[in-house]
Amino acid sequence: MFKKTLIGLGALLLATNVLAEVNVTVHNTSRYDIELTSKEVEVSTYAPDPALTIDAGQRDLFQTYSLFPTVATIVDLEYTFTDSYSAPDCHFRFVVLKDARTGAFLPQPIIAENEGGSYRDRAVCSGTVDGFNLDTGRATVTFKMDRRKF
């Protein structure tokens, strides 16, 4: 009986310390290369680190883990096109919060904003949640970056 209690207690401790993992895919659907200009590092860690540049038509895959798994996991990335100093950029943000009352993980809507550029050169940014587990906080998200030049 004592042995079963210890095994059950160990499983409970492991379950409460689950790291909310976010599998991230950044897909460059444009004909231009993009580069990572900033990433959030105070609350999250990345494994492997996001690629500094993503070639045209290519994608990058990595995981994001929270440094504070009982509070939140934040994926916050900014990419810009490499061909011009005034090229537009995309700012992607996805947050997973843990509800202290129920213990469930709650995904927040993805924010995908285009910034910079001009009226003739715009970034097209989008993000989707491809999968999410309320109990573990594990999520799969895809961020897409394209460009419209007139």
Side-chain angles (χ1 to χ4, degrees):
M1 178 70 177
F2 182 70
K3 192 175 195 180
K4 288 183 181 178
T5 305
L6 284 178
I7 292 172
L9 183 60
L12 180 62
L13 288 174
L14 284 174
T16 58
N17 290 325
V18 171
L19 288 175
E21 171 188 317
V22 179
N23 295 311
V24 180
T25 302
V26 179
H27 190 187
N28 178 6
T29 58
S30 74
R31 295 179 292 147
Y32 304 90
D33 296 346
I34 60 174
E35 70 180 348
L36 178 68
T37 55
S38 70
K39 66 180 179 180
E40 194 287 319
V41 293
E42 292 183 21
V43 176
S44 300
T45 183
Y46 304 89
D49 275 339
L52 295 177
T53 59
I54 303 173
D55 295 333
Q58 300 298 310
R59 59 184 77 204
D60 183 29
L61 306 165
F62 54 91
Q63 287 78 36
T64 304
Y65 302 95
S66 177
L67 298 176
F68 307 100
T70 59
V71 181
T73 302
I74 298 174
V75 180
D76 192 355
L77 305 164
E78 191 166 334
Y79 288 90
T80 189
F81 292 99
T82 59
D83 64 326
S84 168
Y85 70 92
S86 64
D89 54 345
C90 285
H91 188 172
F92 300 106
R93 186 174 181 90
F94 177 64
V95 177
V96 177
L97 299 175
K98 185 169 184 181
D99 185 359
R101 191 179 73 241
T102 64
F105 289 90
L106 306 171
Q108 304 301 303
I110 290 179
I111 298 170
E113 299 175 320
N114 61 337
E115 300 171 347
S118 67
Y119 68 95
R120 303 185 89 191
D121 187 8
R122 304 297 294 167
V124 179
C125 316
S126 65
T128 57
V129 177
D130 301 322
F132 187 79
N133 185 320
L134 289 171
D135 297 325
T136 63
R138 289 200 172 142
T140 303
V141 297
T142 301
F143 300 136
K144 290 185 180 178
M145 187 167 173
D146 204 346
R147 188 174 190 177
R148 261 195 206 120
K149 285 182 113 176
F150 301 104

